[in-house]
Amino acid sequence: MPTPRCVDADTIRAVLKRDDVRGLWPHELSAEVAGLFGEAFAALLAPSGAGASAPVVVVGHDARIGSLELGLAFCRGLRQRGAEAVWLGLVSTEQVYYLTGRYPERYAGGAMITASHNPKEYNGIKFVRAGAR
């Protein structure tokens, strides 16, 4: 059983946006928070039924300071909930989208650690499901 975490709901609400996760790094979007989102994504992608295999998630990051730390924490969260993480390292968002779109039978989803066009103080997580949905 995972160890309970002490991240308050206001912190989660601050970084959870309509289409992604974004916040000031490391004050709002810390490694601990990224790990929790990894756990949540694994739970969302978990297959139901006996004999179902663990979801496989591709994870990449951009060159922002903190992206590597957040990506590794996200992967730990995935594994904490039984998902398999395929670490891509430093890649573009399109590469994560391509893999999940081209190989939907292999990858249940993907995550890109990036804050895209936000100021450098920010970081974030973009999520995609199999088939690049």
Side-chain angles (χ1 to χ4, degrees):
M1 185 66 144
T3 306
R5 307 265 183 9
C6 295
V7 174
D8 63 75
D10 289 337
T11 299
I12 299 299
R13 278 193 286 277
V15 299
L16 189 58
K17 310 303 182 198
R18 188 190 76 177
D19 296 321
D20 60 9
V21 170
R22 253 175 297 117
L24 291 168
W25 174 82
H27 310 294
E28 294 174 334
L29 184 55
S30 65
E32 185 175 24
V33 171
L36 291 172
F37 278 107
E39 289 184 36
F41 198 48
L44 176 74
L45 298 175
S48 59
S53 59
V56 179
V57 180
V58 294
V59 181
H61 69 87
D62 68 9
R64 286 176 184 258
I65 296 173
S67 290
L68 175 62
E69 174 190 8
L70 294 175
L72 293 174
F74 187 86
C75 288
R76 282 191 299 273
L78 288 170
R79 289 190 306 271
Q80 184 77 23
R81 292 286 184 217
E84 182 181 334
V86 175
W87 181 248
L88 300 177
L90 181 61
V91 295
S92 69
T93 302
E94 294 80 10
Q95 289 170 293
V96 172
Y97 292 168
Y98 174 79
L99 287 171
T100 59
R102 177 70 174 89
Y103 303 102
E105 69 289 343
R106 187 179 307 168
Y107 303 118
M112 180 67 187
I113 310 301
T114 180
S116 296
H117 301 90
N118 287 278
K120 66 180 181 178
E121 299 82 20
Y122 284 80
N123 216 318
I125 308 169
K126 292 183 177 185
F127 303 92
V128 64
R129 294 183 77 163
R133 293 178 286 131

